[in-house]
Amino acid sequence: MRFLRPCFLVAWMAIAPLLLGGCSILSEFGPVVQIHTLTAEEAIELKRSDILTRGKLSDATTQTIRVAALDAQACAKPVSANCVEALVEVKGVATDRRLAALSELWLAQAQAMKPGSEQQAAWFETIRYAYAYLFLGDHTPGERAFEDRQTQVRDWYNYAVERAATAMFEFGQQTATQLPPQPQRNIAGWELHVDMRSARLPGSTAVPAELLPASSLSFRGLRSLYRRDGFGAELVAVMPDEPLTTAATRDGRPAVKRNQQPLPWSEMPAPSMTVLLHPDGDDLDSVLQTRTVRLTVHDPYVESAIMMRGQRVPLAANFTAGYGVWLARAKFKRQSLRSLLGREGGIDRPHVYLMQPYDPNRRVIVMLHGLASSPEAWVELANEILGDELLRQHYQLWQVYYPTNMPIALNHAMIRRTLKDTLAHFDPSGQSPASSDLVLVGHSMGGVIARLMVSSTDQSLVQLARDRGRLTLKQIERIAPMLSFEPFPHVSRAIFIAAPHRGTSVAGGCLGRWMAGFIHFPVTVLEELAHTLVPNAAASSHQSLGYIPNSVDNLDENDPFLRAAAGFPISTQVRYHSIVAQANPDVALVDSDDGLVPYRSSHLPGAQSEKVIISGHSVQQNASAILEIQRILKEDMTQQKEPLNSAVR
């Protein structure tokens, strides 16, 4: 026995290394597969995080690398292309899995590169493999509709297109070959074909000053960002600045060239667009071999989807970014104050801004801001309408920007003419839906002007001009548009918001009189008015015009013009609504006000509806007011062909 024991130990020492080296069970003394419980946060991150969200390859791509027998650590280093080349050649990995992983690997390489032709080529490769996965893989996009992986690959495609398009634009600026380039050119060894047929850029030039990725923009001052998920890069084309006609400079000359009459309208100079890059090829093999790509530009207000490889694909869109960029850069606040005071740099006539390229098939909402204001007054309402898919399909927004120092009668006449000229320009025949059934939305003094636009005059203004203005019959004839008018054609609905139809005591009080004392009219306006009254008079004849009531004077509850206008009948063809602000809910409604306008002034008998909102005077920004306007607009869509209903009090 003593002899056997040493032999046993020797035998065990010889066999043990073999057993322990060849059997993991004996080495680890536990199961091969172990369980680790993830939190919900960890589980979602594991499924959805990728090279864009955390700067590391997605878990799905890492798994594909392992299945392909490649070194996961080496592949995680984007500076090397060995992993990409190896994965292209590997056999036995499902097509969808390989294409998606290659797209992310190329994206990682592109992000690690410096701007230049190599990076541009890497963007194109990212696009190639993402495009192949989405449309030429083992499954259709519809079959993968709920898959996180498809969402990831779509995001990689969209991001790569965004970076490739903006890089091409920046390169074009540096080399004086801005977009749109020649229909065909060579970039980073790829042949690029550009198709701008669906692009609609405002202004006198087809070349943007900037091309901004909407995904990189964040806005303060807007409650919501409205966009549509889909295929393509969301961009904002910032057009060259074309300033409005401004008030006279200190030397009395207009701020623009003499005899240069500017257009009374312009499209918002920061339109949104969606850009796609299509690798050439009829099947998967040809797409993976091609060095040709086609760039197409799309208007998200016109196209919500396109056909791709026989499938209807929703287009990505951003409906807030362009609007936000325009407002952030327009400097309206300072200019509107200069306009009110009649200072250099203000405006001296109305201007119509189209919030999107003109569409003959969408009805027009005309928005009129109030005293000392500008299109900024509509920032929330306009954004909500642009972001509402149903309203966006049926309406287009026009914002009237006008000098709020002018007498209401003069502003009203000029705004009428400006709208008429704008409609005539876009629809000379007047037959398109856009020229019919207009909707007017006016806040404060803009609401007073909107009411005049749907009203008919009697002889009271003519008599007032005779008695108080000491004008001759000849002179009265020359200013007839300010004194005699009928409802503006084709307006079917109006919304008056905190509008002082019967004036306010604030305008006639100490504060109002003090404020009115600072208001002056531009020399150009005075000269034009003097020339209208006395055509052959000298240029300096405006000095003999005497005192002309300004806008603050007109808002006084005792102003003769406003008292007369309050009695003008509103067209029976117009449905109208009132939104009234009540600053103190503890005060009886009939005795209340919004801090500036009393209820008895903003209330209009015969309104289709009247919504009272607890708010100050700037109620047009109130969420409840915006919801009410949206309700009215949607109701309007269903009532267009119905007869006028009885008023709802």
Side-chain angles (χ1 to χ4, degrees):
M1 292 293 293
R2 292 181 179 178
F3 175 76
L4 292 175
R5 187 175 298 171
C7 293
F8 177 77
L9 291 174
V10 172
W12 172 252
M13 292 175 64
I15 297 171
L18 298 175
L19 293 174
L20 295 175
C23 183
S24 61
I25 295 177
L26 292 177
S27 65
E28 305 217 1
F29 298 100
V32 175
V33 177
Q34 298 180 359
I35 299 174
H36 172 62
T37 303
L38 301 174
T39 65
E41 180 181 355
E42 290 172 332
I44 294 296
E45 181 181 0
L46 190 64
K47 287 193 298 182
R48 299 181 184 174
S49 61
D50 58 24
I51 193 66
L52 288 181
T53 60
R54 66 172 180 176
K56 296 181 181 179
L57 296 176
S58 63
D59 186 62
T61 294
T62 301
Q63 290 180 29
T64 301
I65 291 169
R66 290 172 180 158
V67 169
L70 301 176
D71 186 339
Q73 288 187 338
C75 288
K77 299 176 182 179
V79 294
S80 174
N82 294 337
C83 186
V84 170
E85 295 171 359
L87 189 56
V88 169
E89 299 298 329
V90 75
K91 305 297 182 184
V93 177
T95 301
D96 277 1
R97 196 168 189 176
R98 186 174 71 255
L99 294 174
L102 284 167
S103 179
E104 187 174 16
L105 288 169
W106 273 113
L107 178 59
Q109 287 199 40
Q111 288 184 309
M113 293 176 177
K114 294 181 178 180
S117 60
E118 289 188 4
Q119 186 188 54
Q120 193 73 349
W123 294 131
F124 285 152
E125 293 293 352
T126 304
I127 293 164
R128 178 211 299 278
Y129 285 104
Y131 181 92
Y133 167 88
L134 291 170
F135 300 108
L136 298 167
D138 295 327
H139 301 87
T140 67
E143 292 172 332
R144 291 187 299 240
F146 295 100
E147 292 185 11
D148 292 328
R149 192 58 164 169
Q150 176 162 272
T151 301
Q152 285 181 323
V153 178
R154 183 207 65 192
D155 288 345
W156 301 337
Y157 171 91
N158 290 353
Y159 180 75
V161 172
E162 173 190 291
R163 302 316 305 167
T166 53
M168 284 187 285
F169 178 81
E170 291 168 2
F171 177 78
Q173 283 189 316
Q174 297 169 2
T175 58
T177 56
Q178 294 170 304
L179 284 176
Q182 305 89 354
Q184 180 177 329
R185 59 185 299 189
N186 187 278
I187 295 180
W190 285 66
E191 186 178 288
L192 175 69
H193 297 262
V194 179
D195 183 354
M196 300 283 290
R197 288 175 295 177
S198 297
R200 299 197 300 169
L201 298 177
S204 57
T205 175
V207 181
E210 296 178 78
L211 196 62
L212 304 178
S215 64
S216 67
L217 301 176
S218 175
F219 300 97
R220 285 183 295 177
L222 286 168
R223 294 192 191 106
S224 301
L225 177 69
Y226 287 103
R227 54 177 305 279
R228 179 176 61 220
D229 283 330
F231 192 57
E234 304 156 28
L235 301 174
V236 177
V238 182
M239 306 306 293
D241 185 29
E242 296 183 1
L244 302 182
T245 302
T246 56
T249 56
R250 290 188 179 91
D251 60 5
R253 293 179 301 176
V256 296
K257 296 178 181 178
R258 287 187 178 278
N259 302 319
Q260 179 183 338
Q261 185 65 32
L263 292 173
W265 57 268
S266 62
E267 294 176 338
M268 187 180 68
S272 297
M273 59 172 56
T274 304
V275 173
L276 305 180
L277 280 165
H278 314 250
D280 195 20
D282 296 326
D283 53 31
L284 178 59
D285 289 338
S286 59
V287 167
L288 295 182
Q289 296 299 320
T290 189
R291 305 291 292 179
T292 302
V293 64
R294 182 166 55 95
L295 184 149
T296 60
V297 182
H298 304 267
D299 183 346
Y301 289 99
V302 175
E303 296 178 277
S304 60
I306 59 171
M307 294 302 296
M308 298 281 291
R309 303 280 176 176
Q311 301 172 74
R312 189 176 185 273
V313 178
L315 279 175
N318 193 308
F319 301 103
T320 297
Y323 181 54
V325 168
W326 175 57
L327 286 179
R329 297 185 175 187
K331 300 178 181 178
F332 281 127
K333 191 163 291 184
R334 175 177 295 182
Q335 189 179 51
S336 62
L337 181 59
R338 289 181 175 275
S339 298
L340 177 66
L341 301 177
R343 300 291 181 85
E344 176 187 356
I347 61 171
D348 58 9
R349 66 195 66 220
H351 188 85
V352 176
Y353 278 111
L354 282 64
M355 294 294 96
Q356 63 254 31
Y358 173 77
D359 188 332
N361 296 313
R362 285 184 171 94
R363 293 171 53 207
V364 175
I365 299 173
V366 178
M367 309 177 85
L368 296 156
H369 60 75
L371 182 71
S373 192
S374 71
E376 287 186 326
W378 304 114
V379 54
E380 295 293 356
L381 175 59
N383 187 45
E384 293 297 324
I385 294 175
L386 292 172
D388 188 302
E389 183 177 1
L390 184 61
L391 295 179
R392 189 172 63 242
Q393 290 174 351
H394 287 83
Y395 298 102
Q396 56 190 318
L397 294 180
W398 291 12
Q399 295 193 13
V400 179
Y401 181 33
Y402 65 97
T404 61
N405 56 346
M406 305 293 184
I408 290 177
L410 178 58
N411 254 328
H412 168 236
M414 291 195 299
I415 289 171
R416 275 181 174 253
R417 184 174 62 192
T418 300
L419 281 173
K420 179 181 177 183
D421 292 345
T422 303
L423 288 166
H425 170 82
F426 287 105
D427 184 24
S429 67
Q431 300 301 309
S432 72
S435 297
S436 303
D437 298 320
L438 277 70
V439 178
L440 302 182
V441 181
H443 171 248
S444 191
M445 188 170 73
V448 174
I449 294 173
R451 185 189 185 285
L452 293 175
M453 293 190 66
V454 296
S455 302
S456 304
T457 56
D458 50 24
Q459 291 299 304
S460 56
L461 294 184
V462 173
Q463 189 61 47
L464 188 64
R466 286 179 180 174
D467 297 343
R468 298 178 66 90
R470 300 187 181 91
L471 301 180
T472 66
L473 288 177
K474 204 73 137 171
Q475 290 174 322
I476 288 175
E477 288 177 6
R478 293 192 182 112
I479 60 171
M482 286 188 280
L483 306 177
S484 302
F485 46 84
E486 294 295 324
F488 192 80
H490 309 305
V491 175
S492 63
R493 196 173 294 264
I495 304 173
F496 309 120
I497 308 171
H501 301 294
R502 297 173 188 82
T504 169
S505 61
V506 176
C510 295
L511 179 62
R513 292 197 300 271
W514 177 80
M515 183 177 176
F518 288 95
I519 296 176
H520 301 282
F521 303 130
V523 173
T524 49
V525 173
L526 294 173
E527 288 181 350
E528 187 175 340
L529 184 58
H531 180 74
T532 300
L533 293 173
V534 187
N536 298 320
S540 61
S541 62
H542 66 84
Q543 297 175 355
S544 63
L545 288 174
Y547 181 76
I548 302 173
N550 57 47
S551 54
V552 176
D553 295 327
N554 283 159
L555 293 176
D556 183 356
E557 61 185 0
N558 296 313
D559 179 68
F561 170 81
L562 202 63
R563 291 171 68 91
F568 296 159
I570 296 176
S571 170
T572 57
Q573 300 304 307
V574 176
R575 293 179 171 93
Y576 58 94
H577 307 257
S578 293
I579 295 178
V580 177
Q582 184 180 10
N584 187 349
D586 296 329
V587 176
L589 180 61
V590 294
D591 299 321
S592 68
D593 58 48
D594 61 19
L596 290 175
V597 179
Y599 172 79
R600 64 180 182 276
S601 183
S602 57
H603 171 73
L604 277 181
Q608 293 284 303
S609 66
E610 180 179 275
K611 179 75 170 181
V612 178
I613 295 173
I614 305 304
S615 167
H617 184 61
S618 297
V619 65
Q620 84 284 0
Q621 299 283 43
N622 187 287
S624 296
I626 293 172
L627 289 172
E628 173 66 4
I629 293 168
Q630 290 176 300
R631 181 197 68 79
I632 293 170
L633 292 173
K634 290 176 180 178
E635 176 185 281
D636 179 68
M637 290 161 45
T638 64
Q639 290 185 346
Q640 270 311 295
K641 303 305 178 183
E642 299 177 9
L644 285 173
N645 298 325
S646 58
V648 178
R649 301 296 176 88

